Amino acid sequence: GQQVMQIPQYQHVQEGEDFTTYCNSSTTLSNIQWYKQRPGGHPVFLIQLVKSGEVKKQKRLTFQFGEAKKNSSLHITATQTTDVGTYFCAGPRGGSYKLIFGSGTRLLVRP
Amino acid sequence: DTAVSQTPKYLVTQMGNDKSIKCEQNLGHDTMYWYKQDSKKFLKIMFSYNNKELIINETVPNRFSPKSPDKAHLNLHINSLELGDSAVYFCASRHTGVAYNEQFFGPGTRLTVL
């Protein structure tokens, strides 16, 4: 079945360093979404990418969707302690109702 | 105003008991979901309802039974609780047929089975 994998599983950085998480799907995706879950919290939608090769920015966060629409990345420039949390990518399977979530990347930031 | 709410927030119970978790959304969405998040943070979809109709039913033990009395509510009843059922259960909702497919999650219910 369709799988969505993320690497790395964990990333521990010093505040001010950059961070990147990568997402790979076993199948082509019509779109990909990114969510952030703070410790003890719930997943919160960050962004959706639809077009092949699409790049979107939200302040220090840069999201990319691969040309083949099978991979994606999230890059955070100059991390801050407020960036701590688990970042998930998610892609629809089959029809649009079902989202398959990636395994998540947990980001820890040392102040 | 809370968009997606769940009750209870915490649930501690003994093995073999039956328990229910309730979810309500005030966003006017037509699709609701139940997810299970284990200790390793994997988010797995369990069920989904669209306009009160069950549309997704993953490989979940039949001890789990969802019910949607109306579009704004989706409850989850669990019979004969087992240790492995301990997890955080998230309810989520979305509106289909729009460009952005984002799902809105509830705060979660942390279930601990002793």
Side-chain angles (χ1 to χ4, degrees), chain A residues 35 37 56 96-98, chain B residues 33 37 58 94 100 103 106:
Chain A
Y35 290 78
Q37 183 178 16
K56 286 188 175 181
S96 61
Y97 288 106
K98 186 173 179 177
Chain B
Y33 302 82
Q37 186 172 48
E58 289 297 284
R94 61 168 283 211
Y100 271 78
Q103 294 189 8

Side-chain angles (χ1 to χ4, degrees), chain A residues 51-65:
Chain A
K51 299 177 183 176
S52 169
E54 188 170 15
V55 178
K56 286 188 175 181
K57 291 191 176 184
Q58 289 180 350
K59 297 183 179 178
R60 296 178 293 102
L61 277 62
T62 302
F63 303 85
Q64 291 189 325
F65 200 10

Side-chain angles (χ1 to χ4, degrees), chain A:
Chain A
Q2 179 185 7
Q3 291 187 344
V4 180
M5 302 301 295
Q6 279 183 256
I7 55 170
Q9 189 176 3
Y10 298 96
Q11 186 83 55
H12 202 174
V13 301
Q14 185 70 42
E15 190 173 19
E17 291 181 339
D18 292 355
F19 159 77
T20 304
T21 173
Y22 300 92
C23 177
N24 292 288
S25 170
S26 58
T27 59
T28 301
L29 300 170
S30 59
N31 65 78
I32 194 156
Q33 300 176 28
W34 285 91
Y35 290 78
K36 176 183 178 182
Q37 183 178 16
R38 294 181 186 272
H42 58 277
V44 175
F45 176 83
L46 293 176
I47 206 161
Q48 176 176 292
L49 303 170
V50 179
K51 299 177 183 176
S52 169
E54 188 170 15
V55 178
K56 286 188 175 181
K57 291 191 176 184
Q58 289 180 350
K59 297 183 179 178
R60 296 178 293 102
L61 277 62
T62 302
F63 303 85
Q64 291 189 325
F65 200 10
E67 294 290 341
K69 302 183 77 171
K70 293 179 72 173
N71 57 70
S72 181
S73 66
L74 158 59
H75 180 82
I76 302 178
T77 304
T79 54
Q80 299 175 359
T81 54
T82 53
D83 296 325
V84 165
T86 302
Y87 293 84
F88 293 96
C89 62
R93 186 177 100 175
S96 61
Y97 288 106
K98 186 173 179 177
L99 271 185
I100 302 296
F101 278 82
S103 43
T105 295
R106 184 176 175 188
L107 172 63
L108 301 170
V109 179
R110 290 189 297 269

Side-chain angles (χ1 to χ4, degrees), chain B residues 1-2 5 12 20-21 34 40-41 48 53 57 68 81 107:
Chain B
D1 289 340
T2 304
S5 59
V12 181
S20 292
I21 306 171
W34 277 113
K40 294 185 178 181
K41 296 290 189 181
S48 179
E53 181 182 344
N57 186 350
S68 181
L81 279 156

Side-chain angles (χ1 to χ4, degrees), chain B residues 48-88:
Chain B
S48 179
Y49 274 74
N50 174 257
N51 288 317
K52 299 195 299 176
E53 181 182 344
L54 181 65
I55 56 171
I56 296 174
N57 186 350
E58 289 297 284
T59 309
V60 178
N62 55 17
R63 297 182 294 104
F64 291 78
S65 53
K67 284 188 180 176
S68 181
D70 54 58
K71 286 198 303 183
H73 296 86
L74 180 61
N75 303 323
L76 182 64
H77 186 76
I78 315 170
N79 288 324
S80 303
L81 279 156
E82 300 177 357
L83 292 176
D85 297 332
S86 295
V88 180

